Amino acid sequence: LDAVSSTSSAADEPTREEERRIDEVRPPSAESKAERRKRDILEARAKLGGEKPEERYLAARRLSELGDLESAGAMIEAAKLETGRLRAAHLLFLGRLKSREALPFLMGQLDDLDPDVRSTAMSALTSITGVYIFEASRWRDWWRDESKKRPGK
């Protein structure tokens, strides 16, 4: 009987779709929104380290949507596992996150063999810095100048 009661409580929890429908009728409290955001972040962080590329992709996308700056390092590590367009997608998510922590990694992606990765790295750099540069060599000049401005970084 105890085993049944412990599993039924999890089954009683509303699904995400059910939560959305309930929210349409009765908007959630600020506390409830904060709890859901925390839950979503923890779930996405766990999936970011998963074995499946599609799980990592969805997790990185969700973390960028949530603006979880603390996940930048893990998102960078997930991006390193990917190649081609999938890596480019991860770079896009890093740009949307706008974490300056990603700048050194993105600068390194300017040398990638894949043109999609190089192009998306420049786009992500622009998203984070607000600087519009369309050539890798000029980004490198910018990075060198920025590094001089901030000794020790």
Side-chain angles (χ1 to χ4, degrees), residues 27 91 119:
L91 301 185
S119 173

Side-chain angles (χ1 to χ4, degrees), residues 91 109-123 136:
L91 301 185
Q109 299 309 293
L110 296 175
D111 297 322
D112 196 274
L113 296 175
D114 189 308
D116 287 336
V117 171
R118 292 192 308 267
S119 173
T120 306
M122 285 189 263
S123 179

Side-chain angles (χ1 to χ4, degrees), residues 62-128:
R62 186 67 180 132
L63 290 167
S64 72
E65 291 168 353
L66 292 167
D68 183 35
L69 293 174
E70 292 178 22
S71 295
M75 289 174 67
I76 291 167
E77 292 307 311
K80 290 177 182 178
L81 298 173
E82 313 302 350
T83 59
R85 288 189 176 164
L86 198 50
R87 178 175 281 194
H90 279 264
L91 301 185
L92 177 69
F93 301 144
L94 283 166
R96 288 181 184 166
L97 189 63
K98 297 188 185 310
S99 171
R100 295 189 74 82
E101 182 182 342
L103 291 177
F105 173 70
L106 292 168
M107 288 302 300
Q109 299 309 293
L110 296 175
D111 297 322
D112 196 274
L113 296 175
D114 189 308
D116 287 336
V117 171
R118 292 192 308 267
S119 173
T120 306
M122 285 189 263
S123 179
L125 286 164
T126 296
S127 293
I128 294 169

Side-chain angles (χ1 to χ4, degrees), residues 45-62:
R45 284 179 183 172
K47 290 180 180 177
L48 197 58
E51 291 184 27
K52 295 181 180 179
E54 16 341 299
E55 282 186 4
R56 292 191 299 264
Y57 168 88
L58 292 171
R61 183 178 76 184
R62 186 67 180 132

